[in-house]
Amino acid sequence: PNIISNKNLYKRCKSQPLSTRVARSRWRMLGHVLRGPEDGPAFSSLKFAVNTLDLPGRRGRPQSNLFSLIQRDLDKHNLFLRNPDELFDLKNIAKNKNKWRIDTF
């Protein structure tokens, strides 16, 4: 039997791993949220999540949720979201769609 690595298979099929495609979709969604109105429900939820980072967490294993995944993706790109000031810095970066697209993936 012929053995082919996943990397070569993706290249041959002109495709990408699902994890990469999902991460790109998360980035696109984050860009939409950041470019949206500040009084909209999506941006308000993001602002609430950033403002409540200082609160003590629950016992046990940390939950994996959308906000924690977004923070992990931001860390990979040397961007941070630890306080409201960084949220508005990120909002300014996302205003330029082409730069956001190039810088993220």
Side-chain angles (χ1 to χ4, degrees):
N2 293 337
I3 298 174
I4 186 168
S5 69
N6 285 341
K7 186 184 275 187
N8 289 336
L9 180 64
Y10 285 125
K11 186 182 278 188
R12 184 183 290 181
C13 295
K14 297 178 184 164
S15 184
Q16 295 175 339
L18 185 60
S19 59
T20 304
R21 292 167 44 190
V22 169
R24 183 176 294 126
S25 295
R26 264 195 316 264
W27 274 104
R28 290 181 66 202
M29 184 218 42
L30 180 62
H32 287 301
V33 169
L34 291 170
R35 284 188 294 274
E38 289 186 22
D39 59 345
F43 191 81
S44 297
S45 298
L46 185 59
K47 196 174 359 177
F48 176 78
V50 171
N51 287 334
T52 58
L53 283 173
D54 298 341
L55 298 176
R58 297 184 341 202
R59 289 177 39 182
R61 183 175 182 204
Q63 289 183 340
S64 178
N65 53 31
L66 181 61
F67 185 66
S68 63
L69 292 174
I70 288 172
Q71 281 187 310
R72 192 170 55 204
D73 290 343
L74 284 168
D75 288 342
K76 289 179 186 175
H77 296 287
N78 292 324
L79 298 169
F80 302 100
L81 190 54
R82 296 172 295 214
N83 58 44
D85 294 335
E86 291 176 348
L87 176 63
F88 288 101
D89 291 343
L90 209 57
K91 186 174 176 67
N92 289 331
I93 294 171
K95 282 182 182 176
N96 184 347
K97 284 186 182 182
N98 291 328
K99 184 171 175 21
W100 180 258
R101 211 174 289 138
I102 290 169
D103 285 351
T104 54
F105 285 97

